[in-house]
Amino acid sequence: MSALLAVEGLSKRFGGVHAVEALSFAVDEGSILGLIGPNGAGKSTVFNLINGVIAPDEGRVSFRGADVTGAPPYRVARHGLARTHQIVQPFMTMTVLENCIVGACFGRENLPLSRARESAREAAVLVGLEDRLETLASQLTIAGKKRLELARALAARPTLLLLDEVLAGLNPTEVERMIGTLRAIRARGVSILMIEHLMQAIMSLSDRIVVLNTGRKLAEGLPEEVAADPLVIEAYLGDPGLAGTLRGASA
Amino acid sequence: MIGLLASLLDGILVGAVYGLAAMGITLIWGVMDVINLTHGAMIVAGMFGVYLLAGTLGVPVYATLPIVLVGGFVAGVALYWIAVHRVIGQPPLMSLLSTFSVNLVLIGLGTAVWGTVLFNVQVSLPGLSLGRYTFPGTHLMAAALTGVIGGLLYLFLYRTRTGKAVRAVSGNREAAELVGIPTRRVLALSFGLGVALACVSGMLIATLFPFTVLSGDAYQLKSFVVTVLGGLGNPAGALAAGIALGLLEGLATPFMPVSWTLVIEFVLFVVVLVAFPGGVLGLRRARAH
Amino acid sequence: MTLLRRPFFWIIGAVILTFALAPTYGNNVELRESLLLAAVYITLASNLNMMLGYAGYVNFGGIVFFGLGGYFCVWLMSALGWPLVAATLAGGAAVSALALLFGLGILRLRGAYFALATVGVNQGVMAFVTNFGPWGGATGIYLSPALFKPLGGPAQALWTIYYLLVGVMGLSLYLSYTVKSSKFGLGLLAIGQNEDAASVLGVPAPRYKAAVYSLSAFLPAIAGGLYFFKGAFIQPPDAFDLQLSTEVIVIAMLGGQGTVTGPALGAYLYEELRGWLLTSPTFSNFQLVIAGGLLLAIVLFAPGGLMGLIYRRWPRLRRILE
C-alpha cells in the first residue's frame, strides 16, 4: 500500500516551546491511523501543520506524492484533504444543506453549484442529517453540529479525512452511531487520520496508532502493540486504570 | 542641525502623549478584542472637558486631570453597557459598527453645539530654555504627567488584584470566568479605563495645541498608528511607539506641510499592518476563539 | 439562465422600469432629481453590500471608487475630449484595476484593520488628488457647457444621464443578485461567516476577496463619472466625501446587509428620512447624529436590518425576494 500522506521531520516552535519536534509518520491508502497522546502533546498542532493553517519550521508534508508543506489551507483542500475541528465551526446562518454545498463546491472535485447539491445531500445522508437539510446550523444540537462538521468535510469527496476529536462531547449512543459512520466512510475508500481521546473507540477503529508526547513521537504500531508499550503507559501515568482499558480494548 | 535636534526632543515629549492615547486603544483591544472607534470622540471630550472646567469654571488647568480621568472612566463604563456589551460575542464587524455609530452621534452632537471653530486652552507655564530653543512648559508638563499616569497604570495592572483580574480576562476570558472572575464587570472596567486614558490624553493635548470638535479623527488615527507599531494589547509598547511617532513627526515637520503628515501616518499604518501583523515591537498574540 | 425564471429577476426589472418611466411622464424634473439621488445611493449601497454583507468586510472608504471614477471620467472628457460613455467605462475599468492593486495590499488585514485601512486609502487618494496638478488640484475641474452639446444640450443631457444612472443602478442590483446565486457568492458568504473555516474547506479566500473588492469598485466608479459629469464640476472634498461613505454603510445596514433588496429599501427609506431632516429646522444639523443613532439601533437590536425583520415575520418571502 502506498503512503497517501507522508510527514517527515516536522517541527514547529512557538516562542521557546517545541510544539512539535522531528515528527515523521505516514498514512496508508485505505487505512485509519489514530493519533493519540496526553493533553498538550501537540496533536492539533500537527493537524494545523498538515493542512496549512500554520507553516512548519522544518520538515515536509507530502500528500499523494505532491509536496504541500506550508501550502495555504484552500490549496491543501483542493488536493483532496479535508479536516474537521475540535471546536466545531459551522456556518451559523446557513442551512445544513448549504453548509455541505460549500464543502462540495470548493473541495477536491471543485464542482459547480448545480452538481454540488447532490454531493452535499449524499454527505448529509451518510452522517444521518437527511431529515434536517433545511435546518439552520445554529439550531442544531452539539451532536448535530459535529455531524454537520463531518458532512461538510465529506461533501468535498476527499481522499483523506483529518478528524479532530470527532467523538468528544457525545453520549454513548451518539458515539456508537458515529463509529458506524466512520466505518462506512472508510468502506467508501476515504482514508482517515484521527485524533481521539476515547481510547476504546480509537483502538477498535484504527489500523495503526501513533502516540505523541510533548511534540515527539513516542510509539507507533498496531493498537495492541501500542497498548502494551511501557513507554506509552508511563506517558499516561496518573491514570493507572487506562493501562488496563488499553489492554482490554485491544484484546 | 540644533533646530532639528530641538524638534526631535520636542517630538519625544509630544509623542509621549500620543503613547498615552494609544494605551487607551490597546488596553481595550487587549482585554476584549474590540476596536474602540469612539476613541477620537473621547479625546475631544477630554479636550472640551478641560476647556469648560478651566475656562468657564476657573479650575486650574492641571487640576482638571483627575476630574477628566474620573469623568472619562464613568463615560467609558456607560459606553460599554450601551454599545459594546450586547455585541461582545458577535463577529468583530458588529462592535466596529456599534462604536462607530456612537462616534457619529457624539461628533454630530459636538458639531451641533460647538460648530467647527478652533478652541484653545490657555496655560502659562515657564518653559525650559536650552541655548536658543525653549521647550514649552506645557510640553514638559504633559510628558511628565504621561509618565505618572503610565506608572499608575502599570501599578494597577501588576500590583493590584483587580489589575490581575484584568490581565487574566485579557489572556483567556473563559478560563478567567471559570476561576470566578466577574468577567462582565472586568470588561466594563477595562473599557472605562481605556476611555479614561483617551479623555486624559485629550486634556493634555488641549494644553499643547488648539483644537476643534473634528480634531478627534486625526488623533484617533495617530493612536491607531501607535497601537499597531507598539503591538496590540501592549501598553508599554504603545508608550514607546508613541514616542517613536513623535520623533518621526519632529523629523518631518520642519521639512513638510502639515497636510502631508497625516497621509504619511496613514500609509505607515497600512504598511505596518500588512508587514507586521503583530506590531513592530509587539508579540504575536494567538487569540483563542 | 435559470435566473430568468426566478420572480425576483422580474421584480428588479420592474423597479428599473418604474425609475425610468415615473419622472418621464409629465416631465417631472423634481422627481427625477430625487430618484437620481436614490439611484446613486442604491448603486453605492448594493456594491458595498457585496463586500460588507457577503464577505463581511466593512469598506469605510468605499466612496473612493465613486470619486476616482468621477475624476477619470471628467478629466478624460475635458482634457482629452472623450465621449461620455467611453469616458465612464474607461473610468470604471481604471478604478477596478486600481482597486485590485490596493486590495492586494489591504485585504490581508482582517476586521477593523481592513476597515481603517480603507479610510486610509480614501484619505490618501484625496490628499494625492488635492496636490495633483493635471486634475486641478484643490480647485478641481470645471466642465465647459460645450461638452453637453453632443448629448443634445443641457436639458436633454440631464435626462440621458438619468437614464444611464438608472441603468447602472439596475446593473448593480442584477450583479448583486447574480453573484449571490453563484458559486463565487457562496464562497463569499462562507468567508463572511468564518474565513478560516471557509479556507480549510477550500474557498480560495485571498483571490475571492480581491475579486469582490475590485468588482465592487466598477459600477460605483461609472456612477461617479455620470454624477460628476452632470454637475459639471468635481473637487476633492466632494469626490471623496467620507460622510457619504458613512451614509452608504448605514443604508446597507438599515435595509439589511447580505440581501439584494436591502440596499434598495434602505436607500429609499434613508433618502426619505434625510429629506425630512433637512427641511426640519430643529434637525438639519443632526443628520449625522440621527444616522449614528439609527446604525447603533440596527447593530444592537436588528443586525439583519429591515429585510431581516421582514424575513423573520414572513419567512416564505425568502423564496421570492433575496
Side-chain angles (χ1 to χ4, degrees):
Chain A
M1 270 197 264
S2 50
L4 187 59
L5 173 77
V7 165
E8 291 159 49
L10 212 56
S11 290
K12 182 70 190 176
R13 269 176 302 277
F14 291 116
V17 182
H18 263 106
V20 174
E21 201 172 334
L23 183 64
S24 303
F25 65 87
V27 180
D28 292 324
E29 213 162 324
S31 72
I32 297 184
L33 182 70
L35 189 62
I36 65 176
N39 271 319
K43 309 186 289 291
S44 283
T45 311
V46 173
F47 270 23
N48 284 334
L49 289 169
I50 292 175
N51 92 325
V53 175
I54 319 175
D57 295 325
E58 283 152 30
R60 245 172 70 96
V61 179
S62 15
F63 184 62
R64 297 173 86 195
D67 187 346
V68 294
T69 323
Y74 60 88
R75 208 171 294 155
V76 178
R78 228 20 104 69
H79 273 106
L81 195 152
R83 179 222 171 131
T84 66
H85 298 88
Q86 200 173 340
I87 304 172
V88 290
Q89 308 184 15
F91 299 129
M92 292 294 190
T93 62
M94 293 191 196
T95 64
V96 166
L97 185 62
E98 284 166 347
N99 265 274
C100 295
I101 293 177
V102 177
C105 273
F106 295 99
R108 182 175 62 93
E109 296 189 319
N110 206 4
L111 296 169
L113 257 186
S114 45
R115 280 195 283 152
R117 283 191 146 242
E118 257 326 294
S119 286
R121 189 169 282 127
E122 272 176 40
V125 167
L126 192 61
V127 304
L129 283 173
E130 64 267 21
D131 54 341
R132 273 179 281 174
L133 289 174
E134 298 299 323
T135 320
L136 285 179
S138 52
Q139 292 170 338
L140 295 172
T141 60
I142 267 287
K145 286 191 180 122
K146 290 222 127 181
R147 278 192 264 161
L148 177 58
E149 183 94 357
L150 185 58
R152 204 169 62 173
L154 279 176
R157 304 249 183 97
T159 8
L160 177 65
L161 195 52
L162 263 51
L163 298 175
D164 196 344
E165 299 206 34
V166 70
L167 299 175
L170 299 180
N171 65 43
T173 331
E174 289 161 348
V175 170
E176 273 305 311
R177 183 172 185 168
M178 189 61 96
I179 292 181
T181 308
L182 294 179
R183 292 215 162 93
I185 292 171
R186 198 256 287 264
R188 285 167 161 247
V190 181
S191 314
I192 296 178
L193 170 63
M194 59 187 297
I195 295 175
E196 201 39 76
H197 276 299
L198 234 55
M199 279 305 138
Q200 267 165 318
I202 198 166
M203 286 299 182
S204 66
L205 273 172
S206 310
D207 299 315
R208 291 178 66 82
I209 301 264
V210 167
V211 186
L212 225 60
N213 194 17
T214 60
R216 315 180 94 113
K217 181 162 70 177
L218 191 61
E220 179 176 3
L222 300 171
E224 51 267 23
E225 290 169 4
V226 165
D229 189 331
L231 282 175
V232 173
I233 298 170
E234 187 189 325
Y236 278 97
L237 209 61
D239 191 9
L242 193 55
T245 318
L246 288 173
R247 260 178 253 127
S250 56
Chain B
M1 202 57 218
I2 303 188
L4 185 63
L5 187 65
S7 186
L8 285 174
L9 287 173
D10 193 47
I12 295 180
L13 297 176
V14 174
V17 185
Y18 293 157
L20 185 67
M23 277 196 247
I25 296 258
T26 208
L27 186 69
I28 293 177
W29 189 92
V31 174
M32 64 192 91
D33 229 333
V34 165
I35 305 293
N36 179 17
L37 288 181
T38 65
H39 188 74
M42 297 323 296
I43 293 179
V44 173
M47 291 168 163
F48 276 94
V50 63
Y51 175 79
L52 289 171
L53 287 170
T56 325
L57 294 180
V59 180
V61 171
Y62 291 104
T64 63
L65 193 146
I67 306 175
V68 169
L69 193 69
V70 173
F73 179 77
V74 172
V77 172
L79 265 175
Y80 172 81
W81 288 112
I82 296 173
V84 181
H85 175 64
R86 267 189 82 110
V87 295
I88 276 280
Q90 291 174 31
L93 179 66
M94 290 298 156
S95 63
L96 195 65
L97 289 174
S98 74
T99 52
F100 177 68
S101 55
V102 172
N103 189 57
L104 282 180
V105 171
L106 292 174
I107 298 292
L109 285 172
T111 41
V113 175
W114 285 296
T116 50
V117 285
L118 272 175
F119 286 85
N120 220 322
V121 172
Q122 300 287 40
V123 193
S124 54
L125 207 62
L128 185 67
S129 294
L130 289 176
R132 275 187 299 161
Y133 297 93
T134 317
F135 292 103
T138 47
H139 292 215
L140 294 160
M141 189 59 158
L145 286 171
T146 300
V148 170
I149 296 175
L152 286 173
L153 184 69
Y154 173 82
L155 285 174
F156 171 71
L157 284 176
Y158 286 91
R159 296 290 162 90
T160 68
R161 279 195 70 198
T162 328
K164 200 183 274 193
V166 170
R167 282 186 296 131
V169 171
S170 156
N172 188 331
R173 198 186 311 157
E174 280 170 12
E177 203 151 298
L178 283 173
V179 298
I181 296 178
T183 43
R184 270 181 317 169
R185 262 185 268 165
V186 171
L187 291 177
L189 181 137
S190 308
F191 202 86
L193 213 55
V195 170
L197 287 168
C199 288
V200 168
S201 67
M203 173 238 149
L204 289 173
I205 294 175
T207 64
L208 306 177
F209 308 118
F211 59 92
T212 75
V213 174
L214 303 173
S215 303
D217 267 344
Y219 292 111
Q220 178 169 285
L221 170 65
K222 289 186 212 273
S223 303
F224 278 117
V225 177
V226 171
T227 305
V228 301
L229 273 176
L232 299 148
N234 181 357
L239 192 56
I243 293 175
L245 186 74
L247 271 171
L248 192 70
E249 284 189 349
L251 196 66
T253 11
F255 304 113
M256 184 170 316
V258 182
S259 56
W260 278 104
T261 336
L262 221 53
V263 177
I264 295 180
E265 287 175 352
F266 250 125
V267 173
L268 191 66
F269 178 61
V270 176
V271 165
V272 170
L273 271 180
V274 174
F276 304 96
V280 178
L281 306 170
L283 329 120
R284 184 180 215 113
R285 295 181 55 140
R287 303 227 114 236
H289 286 283
Chain C
M1 277 251 285
T2 48
L3 275 178
L4 276 166
R5 278 190 244 138
R6 308 271 300 271
F8 189 63
F9 185 85
W10 299 103
I11 295 177
I12 298 180
V15 169
I16 299 173
L17 231 59
T18 318
F19 264 75
L21 295 176
T24 318
Y25 282 118
N27 214 356
N28 191 341
V29 174
E30 198 187 313
L31 180 63
R32 181 196 72 197
E33 288 307 300
S34 122
L35 284 181
L36 185 136
L37 211 55
V40 171
Y41 276 141
I42 293 177
T43 304
L44 294 175
S46 285
N47 283 285
L48 175 95
N49 182 49
M50 289 200 291
M51 283 231 65
L52 171 67
Y54 297 175
Y57 277 74
V58 193
N59 190 351
F60 272 144
I63 201 72
V64 71
F65 305 142
F66 186 67
L68 265 181
Y71 260 102
F72 269 111
C73 173
V74 168
W75 175 72
L76 283 170
M77 291 186 78
S78 68
L80 299 183
W82 282 36
L84 178 65
V85 174
T88 52
L89 284 174
V95 175
S96 280
L98 277 171
L100 200 60
L101 200 65
F102 286 135
L104 282 172
I106 66 177
L107 282 166
R108 271 187 254 180
L109 308 171
R110 297 285 185 98
Y113 308 116
F114 171 77
L116 293 170
T118 62
V119 177
V121 170
N122 188 57
Q123 301 303 91
V125 170
M126 177 157 76
F128 176 78
V129 172
T130 312
N131 290 293
F132 190 51
W135 278 7
T139 342
I141 307 179
Y142 285 86
L143 284 177
S144 98
L147 286 165
F148 288 96
K149 286 235 192 72
L151 291 160
Q156 183 57 43
L158 288 175
W159 280 103
T160 314
I161 293 170
Y162 174 68
Y163 294 133
L164 286 172
L165 260 169
V166 171
V168 171
M169 172 193 83
L171 281 173
S172 299
L173 289 169
Y174 279 127
L175 180 67
S176 200
Y177 183 44
T178 317
V179 166
K180 191 168 187 197
S181 321
S182 72
K183 178 170 156 177
F184 176 56
L186 184 65
L188 291 175
L189 288 166
I191 291 173
Q193 286 284 289
N194 187 328
E195 187 164 344
D196 293 321
S199 292
V200 169
L201 282 174
V203 178
R207 228 183 299 158
Y208 272 28
K209 290 191 296 188
V212 75
Y213 186 64
S214 180
L215 194 60
S216 72
F218 184 63
L219 290 170
I222 295 183
L226 290 168
Y227 181 77
F228 286 105
F229 170 69
K230 167 180 175 286
F233 170 58
I234 188 169
Q235 63 167 349
D238 298 334
F240 304 107
D241 185 359
L242 270 184
Q243 181 170 323
L244 181 55
S245 213
T246 308
E247 291 183 312
V248 171
I249 295 176
V250 176
I251 287 172
M253 293 295 293
L254 174 64
Q257 43 121 326
T259 66
V260 180
T261 340
L265 199 59
Y268 171 70
L269 283 169
Y270 188 76
E271 220 207 328
E272 291 295 298
L273 181 66
R274 197 166 155 274
W276 177 77
L277 280 177
L278 284 175
T279 51
S280 154
T282 10
F283 289 113
S284 52
N285 280 330
F286 289 86
Q287 205 176 310
L288 270 188
V289 178
I290 307 273
L294 202 57
L295 185 59
L296 185 64
I298 296 166
V299 171
L300 291 178
F301 303 116
L306 269 165
M307 286 315 291
L309 292 173
I310 291 177
Y311 283 149
R312 220 185 308 163
R313 179 74 183 73
W314 295 287
R316 293 238 204 89
L317 280 178
R318 230 185 251 270
R319 302 272 172 92
I320 311 172
L321 300 174
E322 270 292 336

